[in-house]
Structure formats: C-alpha cells, structure tokens
Amino acid sequence: MRILGIESSCDETAAAVVADGATILSSVVASQVDIHRKYGGVVPELASREHLRQIVPVVREAVLQADIALRDIDAVGVTQGPGLVGSLLVGLTYGKVLALALGKPLIGVNHLEGHVHAVLLEAHAGGRAPKLPAMCLIVSGGHTLLYRVEAKSNASGNGALQLSYSRVGGTRDDAAGEAYDKVARMLALGYPGGPIIDKLAVHGNPSAVRFNEPKMGGNQYDFSFSGIKTAVLYYLRKRPELQPEIDAREQALARGERNADALRVLSSATTLDLVASFQHAVVEGLIRRTLAAAEQFGAASVLVSGGVAANRELRTRFEEESRKYGLETFFPSRALSTDNAAMIAAAAYPRLVAGERADASLNAQPNFPLGKVVESLELKV
Ligand code: KG4
Ligand code: ZN
C-alpha cells in the first residue's frame, strides 16, 4: 500500500510516499523560512501564496524520488487541520482533486496525529516499537500538547496499528517553539529561534538566571510560556548595556550572517547565560510535566515530536530523566521532527486499512481537535 502524503498546514509544503505506513520511499519538504524570516514569524497570506507555487512541483518530486508513477499510488492522505486555513486549503484541494482524478481513496489526516506517527515511523524502522500506552509530547512553533496514546480496543483492519488519543494537557498561551522564536527576536538571534538558541545555550551557564515556574490553577499538565517570554523582556529592559550587542547582531543578520559562531562572537557572557537559562527553564518544565503525566496515566513509554523535539538539551535531558522512571523516550530524527508529509502518509495508513474514506466534501479544519479530553480518562490507581 503506497500512500502519497500531502502536508501544507503551516509554512512547509511537503509531499511523501510511504509504503505500508512504515517505509519512506520519498519525503520532500519545501520550507518557506526564507520568506517569513524578515517578519520574525509566519505571515499567513504569504504562506498560502507560496504553497500554491510549490504544491505541484513538490508532489511531482516526491513521486519521482519514490521511483513510481502517480497511478501506482494506492491512496492520498492529506492534512485536514489544525493549521492556517489558507495554507491547509492548498494541500487539501490539491490532494482531493488528485485522488478524484486518479480514482484512489482519499484520507483526511489530523496534523497532530501525523506528529505522533513521525515517532512511530522511525521507531518501527529501527525495530524498537514503543510500548503502549505512551505519553506523547507534541512541541513545535504552533503546539505544545500532551496526549496519552493507546492501541484502539475495537480496532478493525489487519496488521495496521490503530491508535486512540486522549488530550492530557496543553499550553494556555504560547507554544514552546513560539517562545524560542520570540526570545530570539528580542535578542536579535535570527529566525527561527530554536536552532540558534540550541547552539548558543551550550556556551552559557543554565543556572545564571532563575525563571519562576508558571503558577496556574486547574490542570497540572497544562503549560504556559508567555511568562518566561515577558521575564526575558524585563531582564533586558533592566540591562541597557546589552543594547549595543543586540544592534550589532541585528546588523550581522541584515548582512546575512546567521550562523551560530558569527552570532556568538557578538554575544556577551551575560547574553549566553540568559539564553542557556531560558532553554534550561523551558526544557525542564516540558520534561517535568510530561513525566508526571506519564506516571499518573500509566504510560509505558514517552514520545516527543514536533520542531522543538530537535533540541539537543531536550533530547539528552528527556533520556536521562525518563530512565529514572523506568521509561524509554522516543524521538523522530531531526528531519521528521519538523513538519513533513511522511508522517501524514504514515498516519493515513491505519485509517485506509480500517476502510476510512473521505469524499469530495472533505474540508479544512483550522482547529481540528485530536482525540478525547482528559476528563474521560481513567487514572492509574
Ligand atoms: O514543527 P515545526 O517545523 O513547525 C510548527 O508546526 O510549528 O516547528 C518549528 C518550531 C520553531 O518554533 C523553531 O524555533 C522550533 O520548532 N525549533 C527548535 C529547534 N529546531 C526547531 N526549538 C528548539 N531547538 C531546536 N533545535
Ligand atoms: Zn507541526
């Protein structure tokens, strides 16, 4: 079963061919990061316009790299949501028309379910299937969510793992990746902020600046990142002496000098300490809540996916800490951490096998929820 996956929910136009939900035959991603860089974030109108330019060549390239013809595809899986409506519509409409023209089944895929499958895809390829139920942290520029993932009890379909999802927690304000991007912007470290802060943080002292844990009532597995962003802003306001180096980095970025070494040379120890402390606070907060939820909801393993899952400190610290709980943590490769279409094709596979079919009425769902919410979860005793 070869599924063509199409993804266009945010600022990456992606297409991939995946066999049996497990073997990646091709995965093509056209990133728009150069277009959105000068605005310091994704501009929805520009994103949809760029998807329109890219969708046809990207799909063609994915089919070419898979060394097949379009008619050899068994189904089309396309991201239905959540995401930017104008962006979603481009991939969705193209996928729909393609499936209709080829006379192949069409499957609408939840982008978040795709992120879960990004981890499973590679874990299976490596012969290490994560034990279920798992606690899955999806952490990107658009999402910070915790899901309990388990095998469906009433699964139909042979051989394909059918999963069900329960939402355990999520961010109340910014996503973690968004906090990375905003802090990087304040410090003139370029866009996207995550990869550069990842590289600079190792040169600073992570305990130099103390950030308070966000105090929130209600669900203890919710996240909040707007407080730490504001704390960084106030920290900088109190230190006008840092302004000249911020200006110098701004000029370096304007000249196109974006690599970590170039920016590090223009950064004082105070700035590197701030960056390291920010990352430390974000990483420890993510890990603490995820592992507490894993324990509470009886998870047998931990999955971490989304753009921020590429972070090196997050990976090492997650592995160290989860071991203490006797849990193994699984991450996708860096390429599958950020948005891609292989994860969409992989998520479409069990649905295809179970007989799920979308028709021409399939529409974009910008706020598409995944699974049920925590209230209906049975707690581990
Ligand atoms: O999953 P993704 O490509 O797109 C969204 O769905 O948002 O994630 C992009 C986000 C950005 O906020 C970026 O700063 C962050 O992931 N990111 C990282 C790293 N690489 C990307 N954050 C921390 N460390 C990284 N190495
Ligand atoms: Zn995503």
Side-chain angles (χ1 to χ4, degrees):
M1 287 279 202
R2 281 178 290 220
I3 301 185
L4 170 69
I6 298 177
E7 153 65 35
S8 70
S9 65
C10 190
D11 61 339
E12 261 103 22
T13 321
V17 180
V18 176
D20 300 330
T23 312
I24 302 175
L25 302 181
S26 67
S27 180
V28 178
V29 181
S31 168
Q32 302 179 1
V33 71
D34 289 335
I35 291 167
H36 302 290
R37 177 170 282 129
K38 59 174 169 292
Y39 306 99
V42 178
V43 183
E45 288 78 4
L46 297 181
S48 36
R49 199 181 306 167
E50 189 61 14
H51 284 305
L52 270 175
R53 272 170 29 85
Q54 296 288 352
I55 190 75
V56 175
V58 164
V59 169
R60 192 172 292 160
E61 184 64 23
V63 172
L64 203 71
Q65 283 187 17
D67 208 13
I68 56 169
L70 259 183
R71 63 175 177 280
D72 300 330
I73 279 157
D74 296 296
V76 178
V78 64
T79 304
Q80 194 181 349
L84 303 168
V85 68
S87 292
L88 287 166
L89 278 171
V90 176
L92 187 105
T93 308
Y94 190 67
K96 201 177 353 185
V97 169
L98 202 58
L100 277 173
L102 294 167
K104 306 287 180 181
L106 174 70
I107 320 282
V109 176
N110 187 306
H111 179 83
L112 301 169
E113 184 171 24
H115 275 301
V116 176
H117 277 268
V119 197
L120 301 178
L121 191 54
E122 290 194 324
H124 285 299
R128 303 185 313 135
K131 287 193 201 119
L132 297 175
M135 189 52 61
C136 182
L137 171 68
I138 300 174
V139 63
S140 72
H143 309 281
T144 306
L145 286 161
L146 269 177
Y147 283 98
R148 184 179 191 265
V149 180
E150 61 194 316
K152 241 185 201 164
S153 49
N154 58 346
S156 54
N158 307 326
L161 184 61
Q162 314 277 331
L163 298 173
S164 74
Y165 307 89
S166 312
R167 187 187 184 283
V168 168
T171 184
R172 303 244 181 118
D173 38 60
D174 293 350
E178 199 178 348
Y180 266 97
D181 295 339
K182 286 178 178 169
V183 165
R185 193 175 183 178
M186 287 179 220
L187 289 167
L189 293 173
Y191 173 83
I196 188 83
I197 289 182
D198 187 350
K199 290 192 186 112
L200 294 184
V202 291
H203 301 285
N205 172 6
S207 350
V209 186
R210 268 197 67 84
F211 293 105
N212 295 327
E213 265 279 304
K215 286 196 181 59
M216 298 182 290
N219 185 357
Q220 57 177 314
Y221 306 115
D222 276 349
F223 301 90
S224 167
F225 295 99
S226 68
I228 193 166
K229 176 191 69 185
T230 313
V232 170
L233 184 69
Y234 286 163
Y235 182 92
L236 291 175
R237 277 202 192 142
K238 278 196 233 132
R239 286 169 187 77
E241 67 274 18
L242 294 177
Q243 197 54 47
E245 62 173 283
I246 293 177
D247 295 341
R249 288 192 297 269
E250 204 77 75
Q251 284 157 19
L253 290 171
R255 290 192 301 270
E257 290 168 29
R258 282 192 294 269
N259 76 58
D261 287 334
L263 295 170
R264 181 159 66 95
V265 174
L266 297 171
S267 304
S268 61
T270 310
T271 294
L272 294 172
D273 286 350
L274 175 65
V275 163
S277 304
F278 162 78
Q279 169 155 297
H280 179 72
V282 171
V283 163
E284 296 304 317
L286 288 169
I287 293 175
R288 195 162 39 248
R289 281 181 179 74
T290 306
L291 293 181
E295 193 172 44
Q296 166 108 54
F297 296 108
S301 62
V302 175
L303 316 176
V304 188
S305 191
V308 182
N311 188 272
R312 291 174 296 177
E313 185 174 332
L314 184 78
R315 286 179 175 244
T316 8
R317 288 287 299 130
F318 242 120
E319 271 157 14
E320 286 168 5
E321 286 304 303
S322 57
R323 219 171 289 137
K324 294 183 192 163
Y325 286 73
L327 296 167
E328 194 175 356
T329 305
F330 294 82
F331 297 91
S333 66
R334 277 163 167 259
L336 289 191
S337 293
T338 49
D339 289 349
N340 65 86
M343 68 185 197
I344 302 302
Y349 176 67
R351 296 184 175 275
L352 176 73
V353 173
E356 216 182 285
R357 301 289 182 270
D359 59 23
S361 67
L362 183 75
N363 208 351
Q365 285 203 44
N367 301 310
F368 201 4
L370 177 65
K372 53 186 191 285
V373 282
V374 73
E375 279 81 26
S376 52
L377 267 182
E378 268 177 46
L379 298 191
K380 192 185 90 168
V381 277

PDB file of all heavy atoms in Angstrom, residues 249-275:
ATOM      1  N   ARG A 249      24.255  42.466  16.432  1.00  0.00           N
ATOM      2  CA  ARG A 249      23.742  41.198  15.875  1.00  0.00           C
ATOM      3  C   ARG A 249      22.683  41.472  14.809  1.00  0.00           C
ATOM      4  O   ARG A 249      22.621  40.789  13.793  1.00  0.00           O
ATOM      5  CB  ARG A 249      23.179  40.307  16.987  1.00  0.00           C
ATOM      6  CG  ARG A 249      24.268  39.702  17.873  1.00  0.00           C
ATOM      7  CD  ARG A 249      23.714  38.596  18.763  1.00  0.00           C
ATOM      8  NE  ARG A 249      22.717  39.074  19.696  1.00  0.00           N
ATOM      9  CZ  ARG A 249      22.975  39.504  20.944  1.00  0.00           C
ATOM     10  NH1 ARG A 249      24.212  39.506  21.408  1.00  0.00           N
ATOM     11  NH2 ARG A 249      22.005  39.909  21.716  1.00  0.00           N
ATOM     12  N   GLU A 250      21.867  42.517  15.081  1.00  0.00           N
ATOM     13  CA  GLU A 250      20.857  42.909  14.088  1.00  0.00           C
ATOM     14  C   GLU A 250      21.530  43.225  12.753  1.00  0.00           C
ATOM     15  O   GLU A 250      21.064  42.792  11.690  1.00  0.00           O
ATOM     16  CB  GLU A 250      20.116  44.144  14.619  1.00  0.00           C
ATOM     17  CG  GLU A 250      18.728  44.362  14.060  1.00  0.00           C
ATOM     18  CD  GLU A 250      17.691  43.424  14.674  1.00  0.00           C
ATOM     19  OE1 GLU A 250      17.272  43.624  15.822  1.00  0.00           O
ATOM     20  OE2 GLU A 250      17.328  42.477  13.951  1.00  0.00           O
ATOM     21  N   GLN A 251      22.644  43.953  12.837  1.00  0.00           N
ATOM     22  CA  GLN A 251      23.353  44.317  11.602  1.00  0.00           C
ATOM     23  C   GLN A 251      23.968  43.083  10.941  1.00  0.00           C
ATOM     24  O   GLN A 251      23.958  42.951   9.720  1.00  0.00           O
ATOM     25  CB  GLN A 251      24.437  45.359  11.907  1.00  0.00           C
ATOM     26  CG  GLN A 251      23.862  46.747  12.138  1.00  0.00           C
ATOM     27  CD  GLN A 251      24.788  47.636  12.955  1.00  0.00           C
ATOM     28  OE1 GLN A 251      25.985  47.363  13.052  1.00  0.00           O
ATOM     29  NE2 GLN A 251      24.237  48.685  13.556  1.00  0.00           N
ATOM     30  N   ALA A 252      24.493  42.184  11.763  1.00  0.00           N
ATOM     31  CA  ALA A 252      25.075  40.953  11.214  1.00  0.00           C
ATOM     32  C   ALA A 252      23.996  40.151  10.480  1.00  0.00           C
ATOM     33  O   ALA A 252      24.224  39.654   9.372  1.00  0.00           O
ATOM     34  CB  ALA A 252      25.696  40.122  12.332  1.00  0.00           C
ATOM     35  N   LEU A 253      22.813  40.059  11.090  1.00  0.00           N
ATOM     36  CA  LEU A 253      21.706  39.317  10.464  1.00  0.00           C
ATOM     37  C   LEU A 253      21.322  39.978   9.134  1.00  0.00           C
ATOM     38  O   LEU A 253      21.064  39.294   8.140  1.00  0.00           O
ATOM     39  CB  LEU A 253      20.484  39.277  11.387  1.00  0.00           C
ATOM     40  CG  LEU A 253      20.599  38.419  12.651  1.00  0.00           C
ATOM     41  CD1 LEU A 253      19.393  38.649  13.563  1.00  0.00           C
ATOM     42  CD2 LEU A 253      20.710  36.929  12.310  1.00  0.00           C
ATOM     43  N   ALA A 254      21.312  41.318   9.150  1.00  0.00           N
ATOM     44  CA  ALA A 254      20.950  42.049   7.930  1.00  0.00           C
ATOM     45  C   ALA A 254      21.970  41.773   6.817  1.00  0.00           C
ATOM     46  O   ALA A 254      21.627  41.797   5.633  1.00  0.00           O
ATOM     47  CB  ALA A 254      20.860  43.541   8.225  1.00  0.00           C
ATOM     48  N   ARG A 255      23.215  41.494   7.221  1.00  0.00           N
ATOM     49  CA  ARG A 255      24.250  41.162   6.215  1.00  0.00           C
ATOM     50  C   ARG A 255      24.181  39.690   5.819  1.00  0.00           C
ATOM     51  O   ARG A 255      24.974  39.218   5.020  1.00  0.00           O
ATOM     52  CB  ARG A 255      25.653  41.439   6.786  1.00  0.00           C
ATOM     53  CG  ARG A 255      25.994  42.910   6.985  1.00  0.00           C
ATOM     54  CD  ARG A 255      27.484  43.087   7.272  1.00  0.00           C
ATOM     55  NE  ARG A 255      27.945  42.373   8.462  1.00  0.00           N
ATOM     56  CZ  ARG A 255      27.950  42.887   9.702  1.00  0.00           C
ATOM     57  NH1 ARG A 255      27.519  44.116   9.900  1.00  0.00           N
ATOM     58  NH2 ARG A 255      28.393  42.188  10.714  1.00  0.00           N
ATOM     59  N   GLY A 256      23.271  38.957   6.441  1.00  0.00           N
ATOM     60  CA  GLY A 256      23.113  37.539   6.106  1.00  0.00           C
ATOM     61  C   GLY A 256      23.993  36.617   6.939  1.00  0.00           C
ATOM     62  O   GLY A 256      24.108  35.433   6.656  1.00  0.00           O
ATOM     63  N   GLU A 257      24.630  37.174   7.986  1.00  0.00           N
ATOM     64  CA  GLU A 257      25.467  36.324   8.858  1.00  0.00           C
ATOM     65  C   GLU A 257      24.574  35.717   9.934  1.00  0.00           C
ATOM     66  O   GLU A 257      24.311  36.341  10.956  1.00  0.00           O
ATOM     67  CB  GLU A 257      26.574  37.168   9.515  1.00  0.00           C
ATOM     68  CG  GLU A 257      27.610  37.627   8.529  1.00  0.00           C
ATOM     69  CD  GLU A 257      28.531  38.684   9.126  1.00  0.00           C
ATOM     70  OE1 GLU A 257      28.742  38.675  10.354  1.00  0.00           O
ATOM     71  OE2 GLU A 257      29.011  39.530   8.346  1.00  0.00           O
ATOM     72  N   ARG A 258      24.145  34.515   9.688  1.00  0.00           N
ATOM     73  CA  ARG A 258      23.164  33.919  10.584  1.00  0.00           C
ATOM     74  C   ARG A 258      23.705  32.724  11.361  1.00  0.00           C
ATOM     75  O   ARG A 258      22.994  32.154  12.167  1.00  0.00           O
ATOM     76  CB  ARG A 258      21.939  33.452   9.777  1.00  0.00           C
ATOM     77  CG  ARG A 258      21.005  34.569   9.392  1.00  0.00           C
ATOM     78  CD  ARG A 258      19.713  34.001   8.878  1.00  0.00           C
ATOM     79  NE  ARG A 258      19.936  33.279   7.633  1.00  0.00           N
ATOM     80  CZ  ARG A 258      19.850  33.832   6.448  1.00  0.00           C
ATOM     81  NH1 ARG A 258      19.525  35.101   6.333  1.00  0.00           N
ATOM     82  NH2 ARG A 258      20.070  33.119   5.365  1.00  0.00           N
ATOM     83  N   ASN A 259      24.946  32.327  11.089  1.00  0.00           N
ATOM     84  CA  ASN A 259      25.377  31.099  11.760  1.00  0.00           C
ATOM     85  C   ASN A 259      25.756  31.349  13.216  1.00  0.00           C
ATOM     86  O   ASN A 259      26.056  32.474  13.635  1.00  0.00           O
ATOM     87  CB  ASN A 259      26.459  30.345  10.970  1.00  0.00           C
ATOM     88  CG  ASN A 259      27.802  30.999  11.084  1.00  0.00           C
ATOM     89  OD1 ASN A 259      28.321  31.172  12.186  1.00  0.00           O
ATOM     90  ND2 ASN A 259      28.361  31.380   9.956  1.00  0.00           N
ATOM     91  N   ALA A 260      25.718  30.282  13.990  1.00  0.00           N
ATOM     92  CA  ALA A 260      25.862  30.383  15.441  1.00  0.00           C
ATOM     93  C   ALA A 260      27.197  31.012  15.837  1.00  0.00           C
ATOM     94  O   ALA A 260      27.250  31.833  16.754  1.00  0.00           O
ATOM     95  CB  ALA A 260      25.718  28.998  16.069  1.00  0.00           C
ATOM     96  N   ASP A 261      28.270  30.661  15.146  1.00  0.00           N
ATOM     97  CA  ASP A 261      29.582  31.199  15.524  1.00  0.00           C
ATOM     98  C   ASP A 261      29.636  32.707  15.329  1.00  0.00           C
ATOM     99  O   ASP A 261      30.143  33.439  16.180  1.00  0.00           O
ATOM    100  CB  ASP A 261      30.693  30.514  14.720  1.00  0.00           C
ATOM    101  CG  ASP A 261      30.910  29.084  15.203  1.00  0.00           C
ATOM    102  OD1 ASP A 261      30.596  28.821  16.385  1.00  0.00           O
ATOM    103  OD2 ASP A 261      31.349  28.239  14.401  1.00  0.00           O
ATOM    104  N   ALA A 262      29.096  33.162  14.197  1.00  0.00           N
ATOM    105  CA  ALA A 262      29.100  34.604  13.917  1.00  0.00           C
ATOM    106  C   ALA A 262      28.318  35.348  14.994  1.00  0.00           C
ATOM    107  O   ALA A 262      28.744  36.406  15.472  1.00  0.00           O
ATOM    108  CB  ALA A 262      28.492  34.869  12.550  1.00  0.00           C
ATOM    109  N   LEU A 263      27.191  34.796  15.423  1.00  0.00           N
ATOM    110  CA  LEU A 263      26.360  35.469  16.425  1.00  0.00           C
ATOM    111  C   LEU A 263      26.952  35.329  17.829  1.00  0.00           C
ATOM    112  O   LEU A 263      26.813  36.224  18.659  1.00  0.00           O
ATOM    113  CB  LEU A 263      24.926  34.926  16.372  1.00  0.00           C
ATOM    114  CG  LEU A 263      24.196  35.241  15.062  1.00  0.00           C
ATOM    115  CD1 LEU A 263      22.899  34.477  14.962  1.00  0.00           C
ATOM    116  CD2 LEU A 263      23.936  36.744  14.918  1.00  0.00           C
ATOM    117  N   ARG A 264      27.644  34.246  18.058  1.00  0.00           N
ATOM    118  CA  ARG A 264      28.257  34.026  19.380  1.00  0.00           C
ATOM    119  C   ARG A 264      29.379  35.036  19.638  1.00  0.00           C
ATOM    120  O   ARG A 264      29.499  35.576  20.742  1.00  0.00           O
ATOM    121  CB  ARG A 264      28.805  32.608  19.490  1.00  0.00           C
ATOM    122  CG  ARG A 264      29.424  32.306  20.843  1.00  0.00           C
ATOM    123  CD  ARG A 264      29.490  30.830  21.101  1.00  0.00           C
ATOM    124  NE  ARG A 264      30.405  30.159  20.196  1.00  0.00           N
ATOM    125  CZ  ARG A 264      31.672  29.891  20.492  1.00  0.00           C
ATOM    126  NH1 ARG A 264      32.180  30.266  21.645  1.00  0.00           N
ATOM    127  NH2 ARG A 264      32.432  29.260  19.622  1.00  0.00           N
ATOM    128  N   VAL A 265      30.160  35.306  18.606  1.00  0.00           N
ATOM    129  CA  VAL A 265      31.250  36.271  18.741  1.00  0.00           C
ATOM    130  C   VAL A 265      30.688  37.639  19.149  1.00  0.00           C
ATOM    131  O   VAL A 265      31.341  38.407  19.852  1.00  0.00           O
ATOM    132  CB  VAL A 265      32.027  36.366  17.395  1.00  0.00           C
ATOM    133  CG1 VAL A 265      33.062  37.462  17.437  1.00  0.00           C
ATOM    134  CG2 VAL A 265      32.668  35.032  17.054  1.00  0.00           C
ATOM    135  N   LEU A 266      29.462  37.922  18.740  1.00  0.00           N
ATOM    136  CA  LEU A 266      28.838  39.214  19.036  1.00  0.00           C
ATOM    137  C   LEU A 266      27.990  39.165  20.315  1.00  0.00           C
ATOM    138  O   LEU A 266      27.193  40.056  20.558  1.00  0.00           O
ATOM    139  CB  LEU A 266      27.952  39.637  17.859  1.00  0.00           C
ATOM    140  CG  LEU A 266      28.676  39.865  16.528  1.00  0.00           C
ATOM    141  CD1 LEU A 266      27.682  40.073  15.401  1.00  0.00           C
ATOM    142  CD2 LEU A 266      29.627  41.060  16.628  1.00  0.00           C
ATOM    143  N   SER A 267      28.150  38.097  21.106  1.00  0.00           N
ATOM    144  CA  SER A 267      27.315  37.957  22.305  1.00  0.00           C
ATOM    145  C   SER A 267      28.169  37.909  23.574  1.00  0.00           C
ATOM    146  O   SER A 267      29.145  37.160  23.633  1.00  0.00           O
ATOM    147  CB  SER A 267      26.488  36.668  22.225  1.00  0.00           C
ATOM    148  OG  SER A 267      25.728  36.656  21.038  1.00  0.00           O
ATOM    149  N   SER A 268      27.764  38.692  24.568  1.00  0.00           N
ATOM    150  CA  SER A 268      28.486  38.708  25.845  1.00  0.00           C
ATOM    151  C   SER A 268      28.147  37.461  26.653  1.00  0.00           C
ATOM    152  O   SER A 268      27.180  36.759  26.351  1.00  0.00           O
ATOM    153  CB  SER A 268      28.069  39.941  26.651  1.00  0.00           C
ATOM    154  OG  SER A 268      26.680  39.847  26.898  1.00  0.00           O
ATOM    155  N   ALA A 269      28.931  37.241  27.717  1.00  0.00           N
ATOM    156  CA  ALA A 269      28.652  36.112  28.617  1.00  0.00           C
ATOM    157  C   ALA A 269      27.261  36.268  29.233  1.00  0.00           C
ATOM    158  O   ALA A 269      26.541  35.281  29.432  1.00  0.00           O
ATOM    159  CB  ALA A 269      29.722  36.051  29.705  1.00  0.00           C
ATOM    160  N   THR A 270      26.860  37.506  29.504  1.00  0.00           N
ATOM    161  CA  THR A 270      25.529  37.747  30.089  1.00  0.00           C
ATOM    162  C   THR A 270      24.437  37.224  29.164  1.00  0.00           C
ATOM    163  O   THR A 270      23.484  36.567  29.602  1.00  0.00           O
ATOM    164  CB  THR A 270      25.328  39.270  30.319  1.00  0.00           C
ATOM    165  OG1 THR A 270      26.460  39.765  31.015  1.00  0.00           O
ATOM    166  CG2 THR A 270      24.060  39.563  31.079  1.00  0.00           C
ATOM    167  N   THR A 271      24.565  37.509  27.875  1.00  0.00           N
ATOM    168  CA  THR A 271      23.564  37.052  26.901  1.00  0.00           C
ATOM    169  C   THR A 271      23.572  35.532  26.782  1.00  0.00           C
ATOM    170  O   THR A 271      22.512  34.897  26.755  1.00  0.00           O
ATOM    171  CB  THR A 271      23.832  37.712  25.528  1.00  0.00           C
ATOM    172  OG1 THR A 271      23.606  39.116  25.676  1.00  0.00           O
ATOM    173  CG2 THR A 271      22.920  37.152  24.445  1.00  0.00           C
ATOM    174  N   LEU A 272      24.767  34.949  26.731  1.00  0.00           N
ATOM    175  CA  LEU A 272      24.838  33.481  26.608  1.00  0.00           C
ATOM    176  C   LEU A 272      24.258  32.809  27.852  1.00  0.00           C
ATOM    177  O   LEU A 272      23.587  31.778  27.749  1.00  0.00           O
ATOM    178  CB  LEU A 272      26.289  33.041  26.362  1.00  0.00           C
ATOM    179  CG  LEU A 272      26.873  33.510  25.019  1.00  0.00           C
ATOM    180  CD1 LEU A 272      28.365  33.215  24.928  1.00  0.00           C
ATOM    181  CD2 LEU A 272      26.134  32.879  23.839  1.00  0.00           C
ATOM    182  N   ASP A 273      24.489  33.408  29.013  1.00  0.00           N
ATOM    183  CA  ASP A 273      23.903  32.876  30.247  1.00  0.00           C
ATOM    184  C   ASP A 273      22.382  32.964  30.205  1.00  0.00           C
ATOM    185  O   ASP A 273      21.675  32.046  30.632  1.00  0.00           O
ATOM    186  CB  ASP A 273      24.408  33.657  31.468  1.00  0.00           C
ATOM    187  CG  ASP A 273      25.848  33.304  31.817  1.00  0.00           C
ATOM    188  OD1 ASP A 273      26.374  32.329  31.225  1.00  0.00           O
ATOM    189  OD2 ASP A 273      26.444  33.993  32.672  1.00  0.00           O
ATOM    190  N   LEU A 274      21.890  34.091  29.693  1.00  0.00           N
ATOM    191  CA  LEU A 274      20.439  34.289  29.602  1.00  0.00           C
ATOM    192  C   LEU A 274      19.817  33.233  28.676  1.00  0.00           C
ATOM    193  O   LEU A 274      18.801  32.609  29.013  1.00  0.00           O
ATOM    194  CB  LEU A 274      20.149  35.708  29.078  1.00  0.00           C
ATOM    195  CG  LEU A 274      18.681  36.051  28.816  1.00  0.00           C
ATOM    196  CD1 LEU A 274      17.871  36.039  30.111  1.00  0.00           C
ATOM    197  CD2 LEU A 274      18.567  37.436  28.152  1.00  0.00           C
ATOM    198  N   VAL A 275      20.461  33.025  27.544  1.00  0.00           N
ATOM    199  CA  VAL A 275      19.973  32.048  26.566  1.00  0.00           C
ATOM    200  C   VAL A 275      19.979  30.638  27.168  1.00  0.00           C
ATOM    201  O   VAL A 275      19.007  29.882  27.042  1.00  0.00           O
ATOM    202  CB  VAL A 275      20.852  32.124  25.288  1.00  0.00           C
ATOM    203  CG1 VAL A 275      20.681  30.888  24.419  1.00  0.00           C
ATOM    204  CG2 VAL A 275      20.516  33.380  24.492  1.00  0.00           C
TER     205      VAL A 275
END
